[in-house]
Amino acid sequence: FPEDYHADVQVMITLISADKDIMPDALAGLAASAALTLSNIPFNGPISEVRVARIDGNMVINPTIKDLERADIDLIVAGSADNIVMVEGEMSEVSEADMVTAIKTAHDAIKNQCQAQLDLLAKCGGVEKQTYSHETHNDDLRKKVSDATYQKVYEIALAGNPNKTLRAEAFKNVLNEFVTTLTEDELAQMELVKKYYHDVEYDAVRNAILNEGKRLDKRQTTEIRPIWCEVDYIPSAHGSSIFTRGETQSLTTVTLGGKMEEQIIDGVMFEGMNKFLLHYNFPGFSTGEVRPNRGTGRREVGHGNLAMRSIKKVLPPESENPYTIRVVSDILESNGSSSMATVCAGSLALMDAGVKLRSTVAGIAMGLISDGKGKFAVLSDILGDEDHLGDMDFKVTGTKNGIVACQMDLKVQGLPYEVLAQALEQARLGRLHIIGEMEKVKSVANDD
């Protein structure tokens, strides 16, 4: 959607009927985009999404459920005719090159579906999008904010500080000092002042990274934050671990149960039993917020699902593991990559419980800063601020042998495949470093 379009938009996608051997999830994006394309709602689409799977060595678009059982790559990819915007899925320890090939194959199919929507729009006689004016700006005030604060913010970004609280206070002090210079009329426009100051932070932090290679916590672009981890952290649990990377920490426990503890699955497309459960808890205090504990939010669902997919890929076969397994990750502090900390802590806790994982699995979140003109920086192990101010959040999990799961969200128009390849290679090196740190404590995990 256009950035200055703020009207509430609700798209309802309802599955009316389904073929038992066709997965409907990959059609949801096509349905939503087609509805928006034919509407008078401003929309920068069309977009679409497809499932791409590698089955018996061949890339297949939207395979049947039966064929999907033989797949070693299972991705859902979303994008426009020109760009990829989201990727999510799981793999069986595949190479970075294979993953890029899968995404390219998916994009070719997405282009066809985007063109089909444009053809449909033409058959309907086109549509005139509604006009709107949701923002009022003051260019003189914008310039005053930028002139007075940009250099100060840039210097704070260059200096860096590993402590996010102190860093946030430094940025806030610049704004507070500037506010004391405002007239009464300008003070009455504080919402605009705050917006323009946020724009200054956005530009200054990104330029510090692009121009000087300086990150907010003083790290190099490929550097991983300090890691500390232990197993058997909670002796009364069957298995437990704590994994800390920078200011992100997961305390994870494993409980082993019998057949009676299996989860009953009664879904739209699947029925049966599940022997592996992973729950991810993200309380408000982990980010210093006051937030009521209500129902599970999309963060818990999405991050927990990614961690579950990652760890499930390295579990032993059922013949070697008769237990129902429940993994619970409690995020005690979060400043980026708490889902990846869950993967690492979950892997260690399972080994502590005596579960014979095929390989140690770890995860890393990659970021991107780009100027849209070819200059870019790929960031390893991103902070929360780098996620917020950056152009990409690309979570990659895997073993020493290859990738097992991923989740990518792009915020820019266009990600050249060579940049994607660099991000994946940087993620591989970061993952190997993290696994090395984990294996220093792995040897003390229980083998009983």
Side-chain angles (χ1 to χ4, degrees):
F1 294 94
E3 287 189 10
D4 60 347
Y5 184 71
H6 303 304
D8 290 336
V9 177
Q10 185 177 36
V11 182
M12 303 294 289
I13 305 171
T14 305
L15 181 63
I16 303 299
S17 66
D19 186 309
K20 290 183 178 180
D21 205 26
I22 302 295
M23 286 290 287
D25 54 354
L27 302 175
L30 172 58
S33 176
L36 288 166
T37 298
L38 295 177
S39 77
N40 69 341
I41 298 169
F43 179 53
N44 293 332
I47 62 98
S48 192
E49 62 186 14
V50 298
R51 169 175 271 105
V52 59
R54 188 169 67 180
I55 301 169
D56 302 331
N58 299 313
M59 296 295 179
V60 180
I61 298 297
N62 293 340
T64 64
I65 293 175
K66 186 175 181 180
D67 287 341
L68 198 57
E69 294 173 358
R70 306 196 310 277
D72 64 351
I73 295 177
D74 178 10
L75 290 176
I76 288 187
V77 181
S80 66
D82 300 318
N83 307 302
I84 297 297
V85 295
M86 296 189 81
V87 178
E88 181 164 1
E90 59 190 69
M91 295 132 276
S92 299
E93 296 181 283
V94 305
S95 70
E96 287 70 18
D98 288 344
M99 184 172 164
V100 172
T101 299
I103 293 174
K104 287 182 177 179
T105 303
H107 198 197
D108 289 338
I110 287 169
K111 292 175 183 178
N112 292 334
Q113 293 185 2
C114 288
Q115 185 57 50
Q117 293 176 65
L118 295 176
D119 293 344
L120 177 62
L121 178 63
K123 286 184 178 180
C124 294
V127 63
E128 184 177 345
K129 297 295 184 179
Q130 62 184 248
T131 58
Y132 62 93
S133 179
H134 290 162
E135 294 184 359
T136 302
H137 287 285
N138 183 330
D139 290 335
D140 291 336
L141 183 59
R142 188 201 305 267
K143 185 176 186 304
K144 182 174 181 177
V145 173
S146 179
D147 290 346
T149 63
Y150 179 86
Q151 190 58 36
K152 294 176 181 178
V153 173
Y154 189 80
E155 289 172 2
I156 292 171
L158 281 183
N161 192 323
N163 186 307
K164 72 173 182 179
T165 302
L166 297 178
R167 197 167 61 237
E169 285 179 1
F171 286 132
K172 188 176 181 180
N173 289 339
V174 174
L175 175 60
N176 290 340
E177 181 184 336
F178 171 71
V179 168
T180 63
T181 69
L182 297 178
T183 65
E184 278 192 31
D185 287 343
E186 291 167 338
L187 286 172
Q189 303 177 69
M190 270 305 296
E191 288 304 312
L192 282 180
V193 171
K194 291 178 181 178
K195 174 178 173 50
Y196 297 152
Y197 183 69
H198 178 271
D199 293 342
V200 167
E201 278 192 50
Y202 179 87
D203 291 337
V205 170
R206 291 167 61 89
N207 288 338
I209 295 171
L210 284 174
N211 298 337
E212 312 287 345
K214 300 289 187 179
R215 297 175 68 174
L216 286 170
D217 60 353
K218 299 186 177 182
R219 280 183 295 151
Q220 301 299 312
T221 55
T222 59
E223 191 176 348
I224 311 300
R225 289 173 291 177
I227 292 172
W228 166 73
C229 49
E230 283 186 18
V231 294
D232 198 24
Y233 204 73
I234 301 178
S236 59
H238 292 142
S240 64
S241 73
I242 190 163
F243 180 89
T244 308
R245 179 169 53 208
E247 294 175 305
T248 296
Q249 185 174 74
S250 168
L251 175 63
T252 296
T253 54
V254 168
T255 310
L256 306 178
K259 186 169 182 60
M260 294 297 291
E261 280 73 51
E262 291 182 2
Q263 181 185 31
I264 300 173
I265 303 295
D266 185 12
V268 176
M269 302 301 294
F270 295 101
E271 294 180 3
M273 309 298 287
N274 176 32
K275 294 184 61 173
F276 179 63
L277 297 81
L278 187 147
H279 295 132
Y280 165 99
N281 297 319
F282 193 87
F285 67 75
S286 66
T287 53
E289 298 175 64
V290 176
R291 180 160 47 85
N293 292 324
R294 294 200 175 102
T296 305
R298 63 190 183 105
R299 171 189 285 273
E300 286 90 340
V301 172
H303 286 187
N305 188 50
L306 176 59
M308 183 274 291
R309 287 177 175 218
S310 304
I311 296 174
K312 194 172 185 179
K313 283 292 184 180
V314 296
L315 289 176
E318 191 168 335
S319 59
E320 299 176 16
N321 177 58
Y323 302 107
T324 298
I325 301 172
R326 186 186 184 208
V327 178
V328 179
S329 170
D330 288 296
I331 303 302
L332 304 184
E333 184 178 21
S334 179
N335 185 13
S337 307
S338 56
S339 62
M340 301 294 91
T342 296
V343 174
C344 299
S347 181
L348 288 171
L350 283 162
M351 289 185 282
D352 185 45
V355 178
K356 308 289 186 181
L357 298 185
R358 293 199 301 271
S359 302
T360 303
V361 61
I364 185 170
M366 307 298 297
L368 175 71
I369 304 292
S370 63
D371 64 357
K373 302 174 184 176
K375 192 174 183 179
F376 67 91
V378 176
L379 310 178
S380 295
D381 183 24
I382 57 173
L383 303 168
D385 286 344
E386 290 170 337
D387 181 7
H388 174 63
L389 298 172
D391 298 327
M392 176 178 76
D393 180 10
F394 190 7
K395 300 179 177 70
V396 186
T397 68
T399 67
K400 288 181 178 179
N401 301 320
I403 302 170
V404 297
C406 71
Q407 189 179 81
M408 179 173 74
D409 175 19
L410 270 176
K411 307 168 191 175
V412 288
Q413 295 293 319
L415 178 67
Y417 282 106
E418 57 268 26
V419 178
L420 176 61
Q422 179 179 327
L424 284 168
E425 174 60 18
Q426 211 164 299
R428 184 184 71 84
L429 296 175
R431 185 173 76 244
L432 293 178
H433 167 76
I434 295 165
I435 290 174
E437 293 298 305
M438 292 168 62
E439 291 187 338
K440 292 177 182 179
V441 300
K442 172 184 171 183
S443 58
V444 302
N446 298 329
D447 290 322
D448 300 334

